Amino acid sequence: MQFPESWLREFCNPPLSTAELADLLTMAGMEVEELRPVAPPFAGIVVAEIVEAEQHPNADRLRVCRVDAGPHSKDGPLQIVCGAPNARVGIKVPLALVGASLPAGDDGQAFEIKVGKLRGVESFGMLCSARELKLSEDHGGLLELAADAPLGQDIRSHLSLDDTLFTLKLTPNLAHGLSVYGVAREVSALTGAPLKPASFEPVAPGHDQRLPVVVEAGDLCGRFSGRIVRGVNPKAVTPAWMVERLARCGQRSVSPLVDISNYVMFEFGRPSHIFDLDKIHGGLTVRWAREGESLKLLNGNTIALDAQVGVIADEAHVESLAGIMGGDSTAVSDDTANIYIEAAFWWPQAVAGRSRRFAFSTDAGHRFERGVDPSMTVEHIEHITRLVLDICGGQAGPMTDWQGRLPEAKPVTLRVARAAKVIGMPVTQADCAGVMQRLGLPFSEGEGTVTVTPPSWRFDLTIEEDLIEEVARVIGYERLPATPPLAPVTARVRVESERGAHAVRHALADLGYQETINFSFVEARWEHELAGNADPIQVLNPIAAPLAVMRSSLLGGLVNVLRYNLARKATRARVFEVGRVFWRDAGVASGDDSVHGVSQPMRVSGLAYGPAAPLQWGVPDRAVDFFDLKGDIESLLAPRVARFVPAEHPAMHPGRCAAVAVDGAIIGHLGELHPKWRQAYELPHAPVVFELDLAAVQRRGVPQAQPVPRQQSVLRDVALVVADQVGHDALIATLRDDAAGLVRAATLFDIYQPAAPTADIPAGHRSLAVRMELLDDETTLTDDRIDAAVAQALARAKAAHGARLRA
């Protein structure tokens, strides 16, 4: 919401400076986001009239002008050399006198006017364009002023340039502040300065023609008012004062009829629409749209309508998008002779979100979806009509006013004791009643209570807390005492067996990964393909059409990050993310947060692509693989030991995927991206990815002291011939399953499979070389005990897996 300070002070002029007024509004909840002067500093520029204009004797594009600057031309007209194409006799323009300072340029230095000589002709000043005064970007010629501009008057005074633009950042509950008059009403309540009452003198009808209007949808429109004005002149010129105020509200001038409608919207917060009467077929009908209907809007877009959108239609087709934007077919133009002025109350819930469906927003829709006063439609049409007659002429017809169901003003009771408790400072019943009186809210008093009946322009007063807020902000937040909290502040100590999420982030960063943060709402395609989720949670109001579902996996975001980096010529990527995923079934894993039947566990996911190591000379270049990330996961989980069990995952290669198990529980998956998704997402090579349960990764064992062994361990190497289907984990677990506890470790250090089957290693078999570590904490192991323990281990391997010693 942008407006000039001068317009606000016409309705309410408190004895406050601009900065004090801005601070007052901000502290009252109407945040002043920006204060900006209408024009930058400059001086010595006055109104002047060109009385002579001759061609420069030595330049084709320059003219020698003689200008009358009133009292500043005591010795006769001043000679000015000018190159503007519109420099001609009779126009009034800004003149920078000798000694004047123009606005600072890009270098920050002000420009001072001196007597100069251009192509041999002296110039005693400078005629200015709007761009040279930093009033606009228009540099097509001199800034032409009104014909009645007083000669010699300072241009700042003539154009009211000593003004400030206020830009308010209003929350959705402050619909009553979306107009200059609404802000003035607030200023009056906050300061006690008198508010200039708005008066709307009825316009006497000059004819009796009415336009038939039928309202079919009472849940769309609660009140519909309008009148016909015949014989208007659409080519009339919008008054300069109106153009100036619209410009300072951020609205460009379009045509007098459109300008009048916009002007009243900024002045009183009343969006309205003016139809070309002769383009309406029959009467108007207010209803919900029907499937298959379409409408070409004033912005040139043609939209498809459905039953969720309100419209104004005539007997032939739809003419307007209710409460948002008019249609192109009934727009006023230079050929318009007769108009129909409409002002209505549209229910906020019938307008909210409709314009966003069509990817645009309007000032009218912004106001109607927050609530516009339904009681003033007739008065505001009278105001619009008066402006139309004054500017464009014509004859007004009688007013038509249909009223249906309007918002019901439900009384709200404020308990004074409750208000004092919530605000945190003593307030009396007289204080509360005084606030309501200053705000213009009808109220009645009881014993310790104040009951308010919200006026028609206040849609935000529905519960007791709303009234408490009004009391607090009018009394002044700066008066609230600085009360320290009474409750003791106790730090939450994390248990030793759990590390924080930041520690996990640091551990991954130490492994060479960079953290990414992605949206929790993702493309439905990612969920179907990379998470195998056929029924993801839908986002009711997505910020962008593709981001329509909540993620149940972090992998889609990481693959998208990889694509982003590859598009920018990155050849190596190692990224991770820690974030929430969203599942329909609640309570899936310990530590989940369940809200309304939706589980939101935390996950940690990573992706590696490209060379395993940065460019260097020490080792041969190779691509990152499954075992690189397996090692990273083992480092991340250490000292806990993870097992990697062959598994399947929708996003991963079926033969290069493993489930990560810790303490017998599956905590996630690791694998290479599935070839079909590598191709579908246009990746040159398949990245390796993992996704783990963050709560499981955070758990860690509490260190326990153990004495250093007093005995020396013994190592024995064995080469076992086993079938190809015998897995590493199963064989190692069997060798270590020693009842006597002598076999402390078993490590695979070599695999051998001959090119052709031999007698010792037949087809379908291979040789696994394993080093076993044996240790007795109490006594030194003898050869007999060592041989017996090894023989028992071999016997277990033979019984469980058919293993035998290689010859």
Side-chain angles (χ1 to χ4, degrees), residues 419-647:
K421 182 178 180 180
V422 172
I423 294 173
M425 64 178 286
V427 293
T428 66
Q429 185 161 337
D431 292 333
C432 297
V435 167
M436 305 310 164
Q437 185 174 9
R438 289 166 63 181
L439 290 171
L441 307 179
F443 67 94
S444 60
E445 297 187 57
E447 186 175 349
T449 63
V450 176
T451 300
V452 173
T453 301
S456 57
W457 68 83
R458 294 298 298 265
F459 289 78
D460 58 321
L461 303 179
T462 57
I463 59 176
E464 183 180 19
E465 283 70 18
D466 295 330
L467 298 181
I468 295 175
E469 179 187 5
E470 297 300 297
V471 173
R473 71 185 188 88
V474 173
I475 289 179
Y477 291 122
E478 67 279 1
R479 292 180 54 189
L480 295 179
T483 305
L486 300 178
V489 178
T490 305
R492 178 178 177 268
V493 180
R494 190 181 299 277
V495 295
E496 192 177 358
S497 61
E498 178 184 321
R499 58 179 167 174
H502 281 291
V504 175
R505 291 183 171 96
H506 283 291
L508 284 167
D510 291 342
L511 291 169
Y513 292 81
Q514 292 183 319
E515 185 176 10
T516 67
I517 300 175
N518 298 299
F519 284 131
S520 295
F521 22 85
V522 299
E523 297 184 30
R525 174 191 177 189
W526 299 357
E527 284 297 295
H528 299 154
E529 297 175 351
L530 302 179
N533 186 0
D535 186 25
I537 300 171
Q538 300 290 324
V539 179
L540 295 180
N541 188 21
I543 62 171
L547 307 180
V549 300
M550 302 301 293
R551 65 185 180 186
S552 63
S553 169
L554 304 180
L555 295 179
L558 294 182
V559 171
N560 192 53
V561 168
L562 174 60
R563 295 180 64 197
Y564 182 89
N565 281 268
L566 291 177
R568 286 152 182 80
K569 306 303 181 183
T571 58
R572 185 175 185 269
R574 297 173 76 90
V575 294
F576 78 94
E577 181 175 9
V578 175
R580 292 194 182 277
V581 297
F582 302 84
W583 297 336
R584 288 191 182 278
D585 44 345
V588 176
S590 61
D592 291 348
D593 298 319
S594 299
V595 180
H596 303 303
V598 175
S599 178
Q600 304 179 52
M602 294 288 290
R603 289 289 184 267
V604 55
S605 183
L607 176 148
Y609 176 89
L615 185 65
Q616 44 81 52
W617 59 270
V619 295
D621 192 20
R622 66 173 181 84
V624 69
D625 60 21
F626 175 94
F627 297 100
D628 290 314
L629 267 72
K630 176 176 178 289
D632 291 342
I633 292 176
E634 289 174 335
S635 298
L636 182 65
L637 295 173
R640 302 172 71 198
V641 178
R643 292 179 57 247
F644 296 85
V645 184

Side-chain angles (χ1 to χ4, degrees), residues 751-772:
I751 300 176
Y752 173 70
Q753 191 166 26
T758 65
D760 193 26
I761 306 177
H765 288 68
R766 56 185 172 174
S767 171
L768 304 179
V770 179
R771 176 166 293 171
M772 293 191 296

Side-chain angles (χ1 to χ4, degrees), residues 67-78:
V67 299
D68 182 3
H72 303 283
S73 306
K74 295 181 180 179
D75 298 330
L78 300 173

